Amino acid sequence: VYSYIGPHAKRKREGEDVTIIVAGCVAQQEGAMLLRRAPEVDLVMGPQYANRIGDLLEDVANGNQVVATEASHIMEDSTKPRRGSTTAAWVNVIYGCNERCTYCIVPTTRGVEQSRPVESIVEEVVGLVEAGYKEITLLGQNIDAYGRDMSPKRKFSDLIRIIGSIPKLKRLRFVTSHPKYMSLGVVDAVAETQTACEGFHVPFQSGSNAILQAMGRGHTREKYFKIIDRIRSKLPDAAITADVIV
């Protein structure tokens, strides 16, 4: 990131009227340190501020250097995301992660878990289906935690059923599941929802309970196999994929 900033910082030092913005996970991680190393930068912005860039740029236009990396509630995005397909679309349902796996930087750079309201998700999916999309993938860093930050709490298994029942939707997928939170009810919801594809991505990271504990994963190999057994009992032909650190 710093090497990319260099040429633009040079332009600014030479008098060119440019505004330098660093946004995303690295910006969230570096914060004010980034301004100390590259004082030409005008705005350092974490992912949770993406929908507020207009306000932040107004602050910059008033002559301020801005660091926006504090934990913040993510506002609903009224803009149209870029889609790489006219058939399949990704839809965020939960942002951030509350876990503290020892090898993972996501909680630091993406912030705490924030679930989107069911109504907003339904509205987005209905719009996509009406636009001709056939397949929707529900997306979350820890998707099984969906709804636990809400009041009253909601269940991801219920969301599968709700989205899966939207008329004219052909296929429903989701990623990524965490063994610590993936309930057997999620397997049941997939089995009972006609549009839900029989596919599960459930990272286990290690097959050793000692290593899992050192990683801070919050689950055991026995818990993982219990989930797999449930999938196989309900959906014998389901595809199961995983991540493992070796």
Side-chain angles (χ1 to χ4, degrees), residues 140-154:
Q141 188 70 35
N142 182 6
I143 202 162
D144 299 285
Y146 175 82
R148 69 173 179 170
D149 59 314
M150 292 176 161
S151 182
K153 294 183 183 298
R154 307 297 295 260

Side-chain angles (χ1 to χ4, degrees), residues 140-246:
Q141 188 70 35
N142 182 6
I143 202 162
D144 299 285
Y146 175 82
R148 69 173 179 170
D149 59 314
M150 292 176 161
S151 182
K153 294 183 183 298
R154 307 297 295 260
K155 293 181 179 179
F156 179 57
S157 55
D158 293 337
L159 184 65
I160 292 174
R161 292 185 172 93
I162 292 169
I163 301 301
S165 65
I166 291 176
K168 297 183 181 179
L169 177 64
K170 300 299 183 182
R171 296 182 297 277
L172 176 64
R173 304 180 187 274
F174 59 90
V175 290
T176 295
S177 295
H178 193 305
K180 179 179 177 180
Y181 294 103
M182 184 174 177
S183 71
L184 302 183
V186 169
V187 180
D188 295 342
V190 172
E192 296 164 9
T193 303
Q194 186 174 1
T195 54
C197 296
E198 298 179 1
F200 300 85
H201 183 65
V202 193
F204 59 88
Q205 307 302 2
S206 175
S208 163
N209 283 339
I211 298 298
L212 288 171
Q213 184 176 10
M215 287 177 167
R217 288 287 289 170
H219 68 87
T220 62
R221 57 178 284 145
E222 289 76 20
K223 168 71 183 296
Y224 188 87
F225 282 124
K226 185 177 181 180
I227 294 169
I228 301 304
D229 289 343
R230 182 71 164 198
I231 294 172
R232 288 295 179 224
S233 67
K234 288 282 185 175
L235 301 161
D237 297 323
I240 303 173
T241 57
D243 301 333
V244 59
I245 297 175
V246 296

Side-chain angles (χ1 to χ4, degrees), residues 119-147:
E119 297 77 13
S120 297
I121 300 169
V122 169
E123 181 180 1
E124 183 175 356
V125 174
V126 167
L128 288 166
V129 171
E130 290 177 350
Y133 286 85
K134 307 298 183 185
E135 177 177 309
I136 298 295
T137 300
L138 304 180
L139 182 64
Q141 188 70 35
N142 182 6
I143 202 162
D144 299 285
Y146 175 82

